[in-house]
């Protein structure tokens, strides 16, 4: 893979006039926030005279409990061949303690669609949202790229003498040369395309002397192709401290699956909490999946108070992936405006219902297009 090719493939295709979107609301509040994101997408597509077609799938705990089906046969091929992108809600239901269906569907799609980039933007949209003292919007704007298909989440391992006092549990950290190289390249290509000057690779190579030695070697090779970008390495424990101490140091962070998972949740909290955090599961140039970072929040499900902003921002990321930059910017502006006007659900200190926030955002993007 050369750099030019990688640069070209950060988005889906050409940003054409029509898009086909698979919608998987899932469980709990996924079923409440996803329709609001679709509502905003319909409004922004109409305002931009674009055609967006939605097909909804009822995959989740109900289907699993009634029919014993989690990810139906042929689903992966159908999504890959017939859709441009997937808008996903959340999975997880107390009636399925093993969360078997969630693993099958979400992890299944990530792996089978080979969505190797987990993009998690950490952006402070209003200074009152951060727990950090004296920080403003300009101090926290970081894109975290987490490797999304291997590492400690590859599911390689086993038990020995399970259930006995001598039990041993082994979980392998799987790092392929190809897997490490493509996520590091993506981070550099993204930085260059966005005009960002700094890329930080984070690992724990001082302790994980095999797996992260590979990360070190690949990073050193790839960074040579990006002399215009200031690249550095920071150990993950130091990085966690530094992100809290002074988040202004970072533009783009790239790291492995486990560290990216933890670090991006830390960052999400610095930027206003789970209700606001979006993510993209991306394979450049192929059908990719966009979702809020939060889960199905069973304790507030059905009350109509879930914050839809994480899902709406994920929909905005999807628009950018489709190459619809104007529409993506319009969605982002609408969310910022809702924050400034305090048109928010209770988790962010507002008094609005999920549906009211969705209606307001849809109206905002429609009006913005006419002014
Ligand atoms: N990607 C996913 O589908 C995903 C991610 C995380 C957790 N889960 C699953 O979700 C279920 C619940 O997990 P959890 O409680 O650890 O995490 P969670 O994200 O569902 O909830 C954590 C806390 O944040 C609150 N919260 C989350 N999203 C919110 C929103 N949009 N608006 C207002 N408040 C919100 C919840 O009420 C809860 O207090 C579990 O089954 C878990 O496995 C799924």
């Amino acid at each position: 893979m050369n750099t030019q090719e990688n640069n070209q493939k950060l988005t889906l295709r050409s940003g054409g006039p029509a898009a086909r979107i698979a919608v998987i609301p899932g469980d709990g509040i996924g079923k409440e926030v996803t329709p609001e994101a679709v509502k905003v997408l319909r409004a922004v597509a109409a305002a931009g005279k674009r055609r967006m077609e939605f097909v909804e799938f009822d995959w989740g705990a109900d289907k699993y409990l009634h029919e014993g089906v989690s990810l139906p046969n042929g689903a992966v091929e159908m999504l890959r061949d017939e859709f441009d992108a997937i808008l996903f809600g959340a999975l997880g239901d107390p009636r399925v303690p093993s969360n078997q269906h969630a693993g099958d569907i979400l992890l299944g799609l990530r792996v089978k669609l080979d969505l190797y980039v987990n993009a998690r933007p950490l952006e402070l949209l209003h200074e009152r949202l951060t727990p950090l003292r004296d920080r403003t919007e300009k101090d926290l704007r970081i894109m975290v790229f987490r490797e999304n298909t291997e590492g400690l989440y590859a599911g390689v391992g086993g038990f020995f003498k399970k259930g006995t006092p001598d039990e041993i549990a082994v979980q392998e950290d799987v790092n392929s040369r190809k897997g490490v190289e493509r996520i590091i390249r993506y981070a550099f290509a993204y930085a260059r395309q966005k005009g960002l000057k700094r890329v930080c690779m984070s690992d724990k190579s001082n302790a994980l002397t095999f797996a992260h030695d590979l990360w070190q070697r690949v990073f050193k090779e790839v960074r040579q192709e990006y002399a215009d970008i200031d690249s550095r390495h920071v150990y993950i424990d130091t990085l966690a401290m530094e992100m809290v101490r002074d988040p202004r140091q970072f533009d783009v962070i790239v790291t492995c699956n486990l560290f990216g998972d933890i670090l991006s949740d830390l960052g999400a909290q610095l930027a206003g909490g789970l209700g606001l955090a979006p993510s993209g599961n991306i394979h450049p140039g192929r059908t990719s999946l966009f979702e809020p970072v939060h889960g199905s929040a069973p304790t507030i499900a059905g009350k109509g108070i879930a914050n839809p902003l994480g899902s709406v921002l994920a929909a905005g990321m999807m628009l950018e992936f489709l190459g619809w930059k104007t529409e993506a910017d319009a969605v982002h502006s609408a969310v910022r405006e809702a924050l400034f006007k305090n048109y928010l659900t209770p988790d962010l200190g507002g008094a609005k219902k999920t549906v009211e926030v969705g209606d307001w955002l849809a109206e905002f993007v429609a009006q913005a297009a006419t002014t």
Side-chain angles (χ1 to χ4, degrees), residues 222-248:
V222 175
R223 75 195 294 191
Q224 287 176 11
E225 296 170 29
Y226 291 87
D228 51 319
I229 290 171
D230 174 15
S231 55
R232 68 167 164 151
H233 165 259
V234 178
Y235 291 123
I236 189 67
D237 39 356
T238 306
L239 180 59
M241 289 193 302
E242 288 299 315
M243 252 176 65
V244 174
R245 191 184 66 81
D246 184 7
R248 288 173 305 182

PDB file of all heavy atoms in Angstrom, residues 222-248:
ATOM      1  N   VAL A 222       7.150   3.736   9.092  1.00  0.00           N
ATOM      2  CA  VAL A 222       6.095   4.519   8.428  1.00  0.00           C
ATOM      3  C   VAL A 222       6.323   6.016   8.627  1.00  0.00           C
ATOM      4  O   VAL A 222       6.101   6.813   7.710  1.00  0.00           O
ATOM      5  CB  VAL A 222       4.693   4.104   8.944  1.00  0.00           C
ATOM      6  CG1 VAL A 222       3.605   4.989   8.355  1.00  0.00           C
ATOM      7  CG2 VAL A 222       4.421   2.638   8.602  1.00  0.00           C
ATOM      8  N   ARG A 223       6.793   6.424   9.801  1.00  0.00           N
ATOM      9  CA  ARG A 223       6.945   7.856  10.062  1.00  0.00           C
ATOM     10  C   ARG A 223       7.934   8.514   9.104  1.00  0.00           C
ATOM     11  O   ARG A 223       7.867   9.712   8.849  1.00  0.00           O
ATOM     12  CB  ARG A 223       7.361   8.100  11.522  1.00  0.00           C
ATOM     13  CG  ARG A 223       8.817   7.764  11.809  1.00  0.00           C
ATOM     14  CD  ARG A 223       9.134   7.654  13.276  1.00  0.00           C
ATOM     15  NE  ARG A 223       9.010   8.896  13.996  1.00  0.00           N
ATOM     16  CZ  ARG A 223       9.452   9.074  15.256  1.00  0.00           C
ATOM     17  NH1 ARG A 223      10.029   8.067  15.919  1.00  0.00           N
ATOM     18  NH2 ARG A 223       9.317  10.222  15.853  1.00  0.00           N
ATOM     19  N   GLN A 224       8.862   7.707   8.563  1.00  0.00           N
ATOM     20  CA  GLN A 224       9.839   8.264   7.617  1.00  0.00           C
ATOM     21  C   GLN A 224       9.169   8.792   6.354  1.00  0.00           C
ATOM     22  O   GLN A 224       9.704   9.663   5.677  1.00  0.00           O
ATOM     23  CB  GLN A 224      10.869   7.198   7.248  1.00  0.00           C
ATOM     24  CG  GLN A 224      11.833   6.928   8.384  1.00  0.00           C
ATOM     25  CD  GLN A 224      12.808   5.817   8.084  1.00  0.00           C
ATOM     26  OE1 GLN A 224      12.914   5.366   6.946  1.00  0.00           O
ATOM     27  NE2 GLN A 224      13.530   5.375   9.091  1.00  0.00           N
ATOM     28  N   GLU A 225       7.997   8.253   6.044  1.00  0.00           N
ATOM     29  CA  GLU A 225       7.280   8.719   4.843  1.00  0.00           C
ATOM     30  C   GLU A 225       6.499   9.999   5.128  1.00  0.00           C
ATOM     31  O   GLU A 225       5.896  10.565   4.227  1.00  0.00           O
ATOM     32  CB  GLU A 225       6.294   7.641   4.365  1.00  0.00           C
ATOM     33  CG  GLU A 225       6.964   6.372   3.908  1.00  0.00           C
ATOM     34  CD  GLU A 225       5.944   5.267   3.681  1.00  0.00           C
ATOM     35  OE1 GLU A 225       4.780   5.579   3.338  1.00  0.00           O
ATOM     36  OE2 GLU A 225       6.312   4.101   3.875  1.00  0.00           O
ATOM     37  N   TYR A 226       6.481  10.412   6.386  1.00  0.00           N
ATOM     38  CA  TYR A 226       5.677  11.579   6.769  1.00  0.00           C
ATOM     39  C   TYR A 226       6.557  12.597   7.516  1.00  0.00           C
ATOM     40  O   TYR A 226       6.275  12.954   8.656  1.00  0.00           O
ATOM     41  CB  TYR A 226       4.501  11.143   7.650  1.00  0.00           C
ATOM     42  CG  TYR A 226       3.473  10.337   6.895  1.00  0.00           C
ATOM     43  CD1 TYR A 226       3.598   8.962   6.763  1.00  0.00           C
ATOM     44  CD2 TYR A 226       2.384  10.962   6.281  1.00  0.00           C
ATOM     45  CE1 TYR A 226       2.664   8.217   6.059  1.00  0.00           C
ATOM     46  CE2 TYR A 226       1.452  10.231   5.577  1.00  0.00           C
ATOM     47  CZ  TYR A 226       1.586   8.854   5.469  1.00  0.00           C
ATOM     48  OH  TYR A 226       0.660   8.130   4.762  1.00  0.00           O
ATOM     49  N   ALA A 227       7.598  13.049   6.821  1.00  0.00           N
ATOM     50  CA  ALA A 227       8.528  13.973   7.460  1.00  0.00           C
ATOM     51  C   ALA A 227       7.859  15.307   7.779  1.00  0.00           C
ATOM     52  O   ALA A 227       8.323  16.060   8.639  1.00  0.00           O
ATOM     53  CB  ALA A 227       9.731  14.197   6.540  1.00  0.00           C
ATOM     54  N   ASP A 228       6.744  15.622   7.107  1.00  0.00           N
ATOM     55  CA  ASP A 228       6.033  16.881   7.348  1.00  0.00           C
ATOM     56  C   ASP A 228       5.220  16.834   8.645  1.00  0.00           C
ATOM     57  O   ASP A 228       4.668  17.844   9.083  1.00  0.00           O
ATOM     58  CB  ASP A 228       5.091  17.175   6.168  1.00  0.00           C
ATOM     59  CG  ASP A 228       4.192  15.986   5.834  1.00  0.00           C
ATOM     60  OD1 ASP A 228       4.688  14.839   5.864  1.00  0.00           O
ATOM     61  OD2 ASP A 228       2.991  16.205   5.565  1.00  0.00           O
ATOM     62  N   ILE A 229       5.127  15.663   9.252  1.00  0.00           N
ATOM     63  CA  ILE A 229       4.324  15.527  10.466  1.00  0.00           C
ATOM     64  C   ILE A 229       5.227  15.242  11.661  1.00  0.00           C
ATOM     65  O   ILE A 229       6.143  14.424  11.584  1.00  0.00           O
ATOM     66  CB  ILE A 229       3.277  14.408  10.270  1.00  0.00           C
ATOM     67  CG1 ILE A 229       2.231  14.916   9.267  1.00  0.00           C
ATOM     68  CG2 ILE A 229       2.613  14.008  11.579  1.00  0.00           C
ATOM     69  CD1 ILE A 229       1.267  13.901   8.796  1.00  0.00           C
ATOM     70  N   ASP A 230       4.944  15.941  12.742  1.00  0.00           N
ATOM     71  CA  ASP A 230       5.725  15.778  13.963  1.00  0.00           C
ATOM     72  C   ASP A 230       5.211  14.522  14.680  1.00  0.00           C
ATOM     73  O   ASP A 230       4.124  14.537  15.252  1.00  0.00           O
ATOM     74  CB  ASP A 230       5.511  17.049  14.807  1.00  0.00           C
ATOM     75  CG  ASP A 230       6.150  16.938  16.167  1.00  0.00           C
ATOM     76  OD1 ASP A 230       6.977  16.031  16.359  1.00  0.00           O
ATOM     77  OD2 ASP A 230       5.800  17.747  17.050  1.00  0.00           O
ATOM     78  N   SER A 231       5.982  13.436  14.609  1.00  0.00           N
ATOM     79  CA  SER A 231       5.499  12.184  15.192  1.00  0.00           C
ATOM     80  C   SER A 231       6.325  11.824  16.421  1.00  0.00           C
ATOM     81  O   SER A 231       7.529  12.040  16.453  1.00  0.00           O
ATOM     82  CB  SER A 231       5.571  11.054  14.156  1.00  0.00           C
ATOM     83  OG  SER A 231       6.872  10.935  13.648  1.00  0.00           O
ATOM     84  N   ARG A 232       5.645  11.294  17.396  1.00  0.00           N
ATOM     85  CA  ARG A 232       6.373  10.883  18.599  1.00  0.00           C
ATOM     86  C   ARG A 232       5.707   9.670  19.224  1.00  0.00           C
ATOM     87  O   ARG A 232       4.546   9.344  18.942  1.00  0.00           O
ATOM     88  CB  ARG A 232       6.464  12.016  19.613  1.00  0.00           C
ATOM     89  CG  ARG A 232       5.150  12.409  20.238  1.00  0.00           C
ATOM     90  CD  ARG A 232       5.434  13.304  21.459  1.00  0.00           C
ATOM     91  NE  ARG A 232       4.252  14.008  21.890  1.00  0.00           N
ATOM     92  CZ  ARG A 232       4.032  14.374  23.128  1.00  0.00           C
ATOM     93  NH1 ARG A 232       4.909  14.119  24.075  1.00  0.00           N
ATOM     94  NH2 ARG A 232       2.931  15.021  23.454  1.00  0.00           N
ATOM     95  N   HIS A 233       6.471   9.020  20.095  1.00  0.00           N
ATOM     96  CA  HIS A 233       5.972   7.862  20.812  1.00  0.00           C
ATOM     97  C   HIS A 233       5.832   8.208  22.291  1.00  0.00           C
ATOM     98  O   HIS A 233       6.705   8.867  22.866  1.00  0.00           O
ATOM     99  CB  HIS A 233       6.957   6.687  20.661  1.00  0.00           C
ATOM    100  CG  HIS A 233       6.704   5.600  21.653  1.00  0.00           C
ATOM    101  ND1 HIS A 233       7.456   5.444  22.799  1.00  0.00           N
ATOM    102  CD2 HIS A 233       5.750   4.651  21.689  1.00  0.00           C
ATOM    103  CE1 HIS A 233       6.973   4.419  23.494  1.00  0.00           C
ATOM    104  NE2 HIS A 233       5.949   3.928  22.838  1.00  0.00           N
ATOM    105  N   VAL A 234       4.709   7.794  22.905  1.00  0.00           N
ATOM    106  CA  VAL A 234       4.526   7.993  24.349  1.00  0.00           C
ATOM    107  C   VAL A 234       3.959   6.685  24.915  1.00  0.00           C
ATOM    108  O   VAL A 234       3.000   6.133  24.357  1.00  0.00           O
ATOM    109  CB  VAL A 234       3.523   9.149  24.626  1.00  0.00           C
ATOM    110  CG1 VAL A 234       3.300   9.321  26.119  1.00  0.00           C
ATOM    111  CG2 VAL A 234       4.022  10.463  24.023  1.00  0.00           C
ATOM    112  N   TYR A 235       4.537   6.191  25.986  1.00  0.00           N
ATOM    113  CA  TYR A 235       3.996   4.976  26.619  1.00  0.00           C
ATOM    114  C   TYR A 235       2.569   5.253  27.103  1.00  0.00           C
ATOM    115  O   TYR A 235       2.248   6.362  27.541  1.00  0.00           O
ATOM    116  CB  TYR A 235       4.859   4.547  27.797  1.00  0.00           C
ATOM    117  CG  TYR A 235       6.222   4.037  27.385  1.00  0.00           C
ATOM    118  CD1 TYR A 235       7.382   4.624  27.886  1.00  0.00           C
ATOM    119  CD2 TYR A 235       6.352   2.969  26.497  1.00  0.00           C
ATOM    120  CE1 TYR A 235       8.637   4.164  27.510  1.00  0.00           C
ATOM    121  CE2 TYR A 235       7.603   2.505  26.114  1.00  0.00           C
ATOM    122  CZ  TYR A 235       8.738   3.102  26.617  1.00  0.00           C
ATOM    123  OH  TYR A 235       9.972   2.650  26.234  1.00  0.00           O
ATOM    124  N   ILE A 236       1.740   4.222  27.071  1.00  0.00           N
ATOM    125  CA  ILE A 236       0.311   4.410  27.321  1.00  0.00           C
ATOM    126  C   ILE A 236       0.024   4.949  28.736  1.00  0.00           C
ATOM    127  O   ILE A 236      -0.886   5.770  28.918  1.00  0.00           O
ATOM    128  CB  ILE A 236      -0.484   3.098  27.059  1.00  0.00           C
ATOM    129  CG1 ILE A 236      -1.982   3.343  27.114  1.00  0.00           C
ATOM    130  CG2 ILE A 236      -0.071   1.992  28.017  1.00  0.00           C
ATOM    131  CD1 ILE A 236      -2.547   4.201  26.026  1.00  0.00           C
ATOM    132  N   ASP A 237       0.785   4.530  29.715  1.00  0.00           N
ATOM    133  CA  ASP A 237       0.524   5.025  31.075  1.00  0.00           C
ATOM    134  C   ASP A 237       0.843   6.520  31.169  1.00  0.00           C
ATOM    135  O   ASP A 237       0.097   7.300  31.767  1.00  0.00           O
ATOM    136  CB  ASP A 237       1.285   4.209  32.139  1.00  0.00           C
ATOM    137  CG  ASP A 237       2.686   3.819  31.717  1.00  0.00           C
ATOM    138  OD1 ASP A 237       3.087   4.109  30.564  1.00  0.00           O
ATOM    139  OD2 ASP A 237       3.411   3.221  32.539  1.00  0.00           O
ATOM    140  N   THR A 238       1.926   6.918  30.530  1.00  0.00           N
ATOM    141  CA  THR A 238       2.274   8.344  30.510  1.00  0.00           C
ATOM    142  C   THR A 238       1.226   9.123  29.721  1.00  0.00           C
ATOM    143  O   THR A 238       0.812  10.220  30.122  1.00  0.00           O
ATOM    144  CB  THR A 238       3.660   8.536  29.858  1.00  0.00           C
ATOM    145  OG1 THR A 238       4.591   7.709  30.528  1.00  0.00           O
ATOM    146  CG2 THR A 238       4.114   9.979  29.921  1.00  0.00           C
ATOM    147  N   LEU A 239       0.780   8.532  28.613  1.00  0.00           N
ATOM    148  CA  LEU A 239      -0.192   9.227  27.777  1.00  0.00           C
ATOM    149  C   LEU A 239      -1.498   9.501  28.532  1.00  0.00           C
ATOM    150  O   LEU A 239      -2.086  10.584  28.410  1.00  0.00           O
ATOM    151  CB  LEU A 239      -0.474   8.403  26.508  1.00  0.00           C
ATOM    152  CG  LEU A 239      -1.475   9.004  25.524  1.00  0.00           C
ATOM    153  CD1 LEU A 239      -1.016  10.373  25.038  1.00  0.00           C
ATOM    154  CD2 LEU A 239      -1.664   8.074  24.330  1.00  0.00           C
ATOM    155  N   ALA A 240      -1.937   8.524  29.329  1.00  0.00           N
ATOM    156  CA  ALA A 240      -3.166   8.726  30.103  1.00  0.00           C
ATOM    157  C   ALA A 240      -3.009   9.932  31.040  1.00  0.00           C
ATOM    158  O   ALA A 240      -3.925  10.750  31.177  1.00  0.00           O
ATOM    159  CB  ALA A 240      -3.499   7.461  30.893  1.00  0.00           C
ATOM    160  N   MET A 241      -1.835  10.042  31.646  1.00  0.00           N
ATOM    161  CA  MET A 241      -1.588  11.192  32.532  1.00  0.00           C
ATOM    162  C   MET A 241      -1.537  12.499  31.744  1.00  0.00           C
ATOM    163  O   MET A 241      -2.125  13.503  32.136  1.00  0.00           O
ATOM    164  CB  MET A 241      -0.239  11.034  33.251  1.00  0.00           C
ATOM    165  CG  MET A 241      -0.209   9.976  34.306  1.00  0.00           C
ATOM    166  SD  MET A 241       1.266  10.133  35.336  1.00  0.00           S
ATOM    167  CE  MET A 241       2.593  10.009  34.155  1.00  0.00           C
ATOM    168  N   GLU A 242      -0.818  12.450  30.621  1.00  0.00           N
ATOM    169  CA  GLU A 242      -0.619  13.672  29.847  1.00  0.00           C
ATOM    170  C   GLU A 242      -1.916  14.186  29.226  1.00  0.00           C
ATOM    171  O   GLU A 242      -2.102  15.389  29.078  1.00  0.00           O
ATOM    172  CB  GLU A 242       0.428  13.435  28.748  1.00  0.00           C
ATOM    173  CG  GLU A 242       1.843  13.298  29.293  1.00  0.00           C
ATOM    174  CD  GLU A 242       2.305  14.559  30.019  1.00  0.00           C
ATOM    175  OE1 GLU A 242       2.097  15.663  29.503  1.00  0.00           O
ATOM    176  OE2 GLU A 242       2.865  14.427  31.124  1.00  0.00           O
ATOM    177  N   MET A 243      -2.805  13.262  28.864  1.00  0.00           N
ATOM    178  CA  MET A 243      -4.071  13.702  28.283  1.00  0.00           C
ATOM    179  C   MET A 243      -4.896  14.498  29.279  1.00  0.00           C
ATOM    180  O   MET A 243      -5.620  15.410  28.923  1.00  0.00           O
ATOM    181  CB  MET A 243      -4.883  12.498  27.791  1.00  0.00           C
ATOM    182  CG  MET A 243      -4.902  12.415  26.280  1.00  0.00           C
ATOM    183  SD  MET A 243      -5.740  10.965  25.687  1.00  0.00           S
ATOM    184  CE  MET A 243      -7.393  11.245  26.236  1.00  0.00           C
ATOM    185  N   VAL A 244      -4.757  14.138  30.544  1.00  0.00           N
ATOM    186  CA  VAL A 244      -5.476  14.873  31.587  1.00  0.00           C
ATOM    187  C   VAL A 244      -4.730  16.164  31.935  1.00  0.00           C
ATOM    188  O   VAL A 244      -5.329  17.230  32.076  1.00  0.00           O
ATOM    189  CB  VAL A 244      -5.648  13.993  32.843  1.00  0.00           C
ATOM    190  CG1 VAL A 244      -6.259  14.786  33.994  1.00  0.00           C
ATOM    191  CG2 VAL A 244      -6.509  12.770  32.511  1.00  0.00           C
ATOM    192  N   ARG A 245      -3.394  16.068  32.019  1.00  0.00           N
ATOM    193  CA  ARG A 245      -2.600  17.238  32.421  1.00  0.00           C
ATOM    194  C   ARG A 245      -2.654  18.344  31.375  1.00  0.00           C
ATOM    195  O   ARG A 245      -2.880  19.510  31.696  1.00  0.00           O
ATOM    196  CB  ARG A 245      -1.146  16.830  32.653  1.00  0.00           C
ATOM    197  CG  ARG A 245      -0.311  17.904  33.329  1.00  0.00           C
ATOM    198  CD  ARG A 245       1.147  17.493  33.462  1.00  0.00           C
ATOM    199  NE  ARG A 245       1.832  17.361  32.179  1.00  0.00           N
ATOM    200  CZ  ARG A 245       2.323  18.375  31.479  1.00  0.00           C
ATOM    201  NH1 ARG A 245       2.215  19.603  31.937  1.00  0.00           N
ATOM    202  NH2 ARG A 245       2.921  18.168  30.313  1.00  0.00           N
ATOM    203  N   ASP A 246      -2.440  17.952  30.092  1.00  0.00           N
ATOM    204  CA  ASP A 246      -2.424  18.966  29.043  1.00  0.00           C
ATOM    205  C   ASP A 246      -2.833  18.371  27.695  1.00  0.00           C
ATOM    206  O   ASP A 246      -1.988  18.005  26.873  1.00  0.00           O
ATOM    207  CB  ASP A 246      -1.020  19.581  28.929  1.00  0.00           C
ATOM    208  CG  ASP A 246      -0.996  20.704  27.911  1.00  0.00           C
ATOM    209  OD1 ASP A 246      -2.089  21.083  27.415  1.00  0.00           O
ATOM    210  OD2 ASP A 246       0.093  21.197  27.587  1.00  0.00           O
ATOM    211  N   PRO A 247      -4.135  18.286  27.444  1.00  0.00           N
ATOM    212  CA  PRO A 247      -4.600  17.639  26.207  1.00  0.00           C
ATOM    213  C   PRO A 247      -4.239  18.414  24.947  1.00  0.00           C
ATOM    214  O   PRO A 247      -4.372  17.870  23.841  1.00  0.00           O
ATOM    215  CB  PRO A 247      -6.129  17.569  26.402  1.00  0.00           C
ATOM    216  CG  PRO A 247      -6.455  18.592  27.425  1.00  0.00           C
ATOM    217  CD  PRO A 247      -5.254  18.727  28.301  1.00  0.00           C
ATOM    218  N   ARG A 248      -3.768  19.656  25.099  1.00  0.00           N
ATOM    219  CA  ARG A 248      -3.422  20.450  23.914  1.00  0.00           C
ATOM    220  C   ARG A 248      -2.248  19.866  23.143  1.00  0.00           C
ATOM    221  O   ARG A 248      -1.991  20.238  22.007  1.00  0.00           O
ATOM    222  CB  ARG A 248      -3.042  21.883  24.331  1.00  0.00           C
ATOM    223  CG  ARG A 248      -4.206  22.720  24.775  1.00  0.00           C
ATOM    224  CD  ARG A 248      -3.735  24.031  25.323  1.00  0.00           C
ATOM    225  NE  ARG A 248      -2.763  23.832  26.407  1.00  0.00           N
ATOM    226  CZ  ARG A 248      -2.203  24.808  27.098  1.00  0.00           C
ATOM    227  NH1 ARG A 248      -2.482  26.054  26.812  1.00  0.00           N
ATOM    228  NH2 ARG A 248      -1.351  24.551  28.069  1.00  0.00           N
TER     229      ARG A 248
END
